[in-house]
Amino acid sequence: SWVSECLDRDGEGSEVLTSLLHGEQSNILLDNGKEEQAENRGSTSSSNRRARQNVKRQSAKIILNNESDRILMLDAIRAIATGIPRPGHSVVGQGTYRDGAEVWKSLAWEYSNLATVPYAASNGVKGLEEVSLYKSRDGEVAKIEHLASVEAEYLRVAGGAMARMFFV
C-alpha cells in the first residue's frame, strides 16, 4: 500500500507520516473527529445549486497530547499498513484500528488528494484511478469514512478507509 511504501521511505511521500515519524508537532494537529468547513468548491458560473454549497472535509492535521500518543498511533498505523500486529499483540484487531483511526483518516485524505486529472500513472502512486475519474467529473472528496468496509481484502488494501465523494 501507499502507506507502507511511505513508511519504508521514512515517511517520504506523506506529510502526515513524516510529521508523525519525526514528532514534528507543528504539522500535527488532531481535529478530534470534528469537521471543518472547506472553501466553496463550486464554480461561480454554475447554475447548479449543489455546486455552490460548501463541502465539509476532514482536517489532515493531527494533535498529539504527548510522545506516548505519537508512538501508539504510529505503531497502529504500521500494523494497519503491513498487517503485522503491534508489539505485544497477536492480531491486527479492533483496538489497532481504533488507535490509528484519526491518523489513518488523515492519511486517506492526503492520499486522495494525490489523484490527478487526467490520471497520471507516472506519478508513482497506484490506486488513484477511481478518485481521478470522479474528480474529472467534478467530484470532490467530501469525507473519509473509517472502517467503511471491514472485509478482509478491503482492510488489507485500504485499511478500511473509503472516500465519500460529492459531485458538484
Side-chain angles (χ1 to χ4, degrees):
S1 74
W2 172 75
V3 174
S4 59
E5 290 172 11
C6 290
L7 282 168
D8 289 345
R9 294 188 311 262
D10 197 34
E12 184 183 329
S14 166
E15 290 180 25
V16 173
L17 274 179
T18 300
S19 296
L20 189 63
L21 283 164
H22 301 289
E24 297 166 0
Q25 191 69 29
S26 62
N27 294 332
I28 302 179
L29 282 125
L30 190 63
D31 157 313
N32 290 326
K34 295 177 186 171
E35 294 178 351
E36 64 185 38
Q37 199 73 18
E39 66 276 3
N40 187 332
R41 301 210 183 262
S43 167
T44 55
S45 63
S46 174
S47 62
N48 183 341
R49 191 167 37 116
R50 286 181 59 190
R52 292 186 301 271
Q53 292 178 348
N54 288 337
V55 178
K56 287 187 173 187
R57 66 179 174 89
Q58 305 176 178
S59 172
K61 302 196 180 230
I62 304 164
I63 293 177
L64 300 174
N65 294 324
N66 54 48
E67 181 66 7
S68 64
D69 283 352
R70 184 181 76 80
I71 292 168
L72 177 78
M73 289 182 179
L74 185 56
D75 285 347
I77 294 306
R78 275 196 179 107
I80 294 167
T82 63
I84 300 169
R86 297 185 279 178
H89 295 261
S90 59
V91 297
V92 177
Q94 185 177 0
T96 301
Y97 286 95
R98 180 196 61 234
D99 292 344
E102 295 305 321
V103 176
W104 197 263
K105 287 191 295 186
S106 292
L107 287 165
W109 187 267
E110 181 180 34
Y111 179 72
S112 70
N113 284 315
L114 296 175
T116 58
V117 176
Y119 176 69
S122 61
N123 66 5
V125 180
K126 298 175 185 168
L128 290 170
E129 298 87 349
E130 267 186 280
V131 177
S132 293
L133 173 65
Y134 298 147
K135 283 184 174 184
S136 75
R137 301 293 182 245
D138 296 324
E140 293 285 337
V141 177
K143 185 174 183 176
I144 300 295
E145 298 288 343
H146 181 63
L147 296 180
S149 173
V150 293
E151 293 180 16
E153 178 62 15
Y154 197 76
L155 290 172
R156 188 187 68 71
V157 172
M162 187 178 295
R164 181 186 292 175
M165 303 296 289
F166 177 82
F167 290 87
V168 292

